[in-house]
Each structure stands twice: as structure tokens, then as C-alpha cells.
Amino acid sequence: MADGNQLELDVDLQVACDPQPGLPSEQQLRNWASAALAKRRDQAELTIRLVDEQESQALNRDYRGKDAPTNVLSFPADLPPELELPLLGDLVICRQVVEREAREQGKAVSDHWAHMVIHGTLHLLGFDHIDDDEAEEMESLETALLKQLNINNPYEAQ
């Protein structure tokens, strides 16, 4: 568990979509993931893969049984317990879905990107929103982390 010291974060960024203007920089992605990891980890490694709708839909169908693209998918690392590596797993974020949701919800696109990175990183840490209590805890944490970044509550109407 982190004790407030500087987080060592290694991010493998994979851009597998058309890099349109407005795509977050590697530093922005790192900052957003760091916000979720602060005080929870001293070291972490994760892959952030930015994809198009086709890849998102295929992964969502194959791993979740939902045949549609989605905003973010989290794939926690499945390491044997004897391996003490800081590898958290992979985030797969669909550029088109994030941009479309931001427009539909009246949010700044960069704010929605930040939310998706934080949301996905929290999943990699074991947070979930399957039942109401878990959802309330996770949403509350996301809201607090986003507030630290001067981003409005994503669950309130804008």
C-alpha cells in the first residue's frame, strides 16, 4: 500500500485508432491513472490501448457477451500470487464512444476521458459497481478524484 510517496507508474500507451485532434496525450493519460492510484500503490504498470469501435465491439462481445462498442474495458492482470509484480492490467478505451458520450452528456471531451481512465483504473484495483453499495462507493471515489482535477461530478446532469 502506498504511504503517500511518489508513485512509480509505467504506462504502455497503444494508439490503435485514428489519432484525431483531441486525443489525450500520454502525459494526460498518465496523470489521470496516477490520480486513481495515488495512496493505493507505490508502483504500478498498466497498458492503455486507445481503439476504434470495431475493436471495442469485438472485445466487449468476446469478453462480456455484449455485442456493441463500449467506452472502457478493464482487463486486470492475472498473475500467480508468487509473482510480486506491479502489473495491474490493461485498459481499452474507445475513442468514438468517449467522444460521442461527452457530446451527448454535454461534457468536455477531456473531462470524459479523465473519467474513463479513472473508472477503468479503479476496476483494475478491484473496485466494481455490480451492486448498489459497490456502485455508490465507486462513484463517490470517482467523483472525489475528478474533483481533485477540477472536473465536475460526471454523475450529475450538466
Side-chain angles (χ1 to χ4, degrees):
M1 195 61 71
D3 62 4
N5 291 338
Q6 186 70 18
L7 167 70
E8 288 183 44
L9 176 60
D10 183 21
V11 174
D12 174 22
L13 175 59
Q14 300 175 359
V15 180
C17 63
D18 187 14
Q20 295 289 318
L23 205 60
S25 69
E26 184 171 352
Q27 188 59 51
Q28 287 175 301
L29 295 165
R30 178 184 305 281
N31 290 346
W32 298 329
S34 293
L37 295 167
K39 300 180 184 165
R40 291 174 182 79
R41 293 289 164 105
D42 292 321
Q43 290 184 300
E45 296 176 19
L46 71 140
T47 296
I48 300 177
R49 183 171 174 84
L50 309 181
V51 301
D52 59 20
E53 289 179 300
Q54 183 178 357
E55 184 173 342
S56 176
Q57 181 169 345
L59 290 168
N60 202 23
R61 180 188 60 240
D62 294 350
Y63 289 95
R64 296 182 63 230
K66 297 183 179 189
D67 194 15
T70 190
N71 49 28
V72 61
L73 292 166
S74 301
F75 297 96
D78 188 18
L79 300 172
E82 62 271 11
L83 286 181
E84 295 183 18
L85 297 174
L87 184 61
L88 288 178
D90 302 339
L91 296 181
V92 178
I93 306 174
C94 180
R95 178 186 61 81
Q96 292 99 325
V97 173
V98 171
E99 291 171 354
R100 182 171 51 249
E101 287 177 346
R103 279 192 311 274
E104 290 170 353
Q105 298 169 19
K107 298 175 183 173
V109 175
S110 64
D111 290 356
H112 198 45
W113 273 104
H115 182 208
M116 293 302 96
V117 171
I118 287 172
H119 182 87
T121 303
L122 290 175
H123 274 307
L124 295 178
L125 291 171
F127 289 89
D128 216 330
H129 48 83
I130 294 172
D131 66 39
D132 289 345
D133 289 340
E134 288 177 336
E136 188 175 319
E137 177 186 10
M138 189 170 177
E139 289 175 13
S140 175
L141 183 52
E142 289 171 5
T143 301
L145 292 169
L146 290 165
K147 184 176 182 179
Q148 292 173 8
L149 299 170
N150 296 314
I151 297 173
N152 292 332
N153 182 338
Y155 298 104
E156 290 180 354
Q158 301 298 311

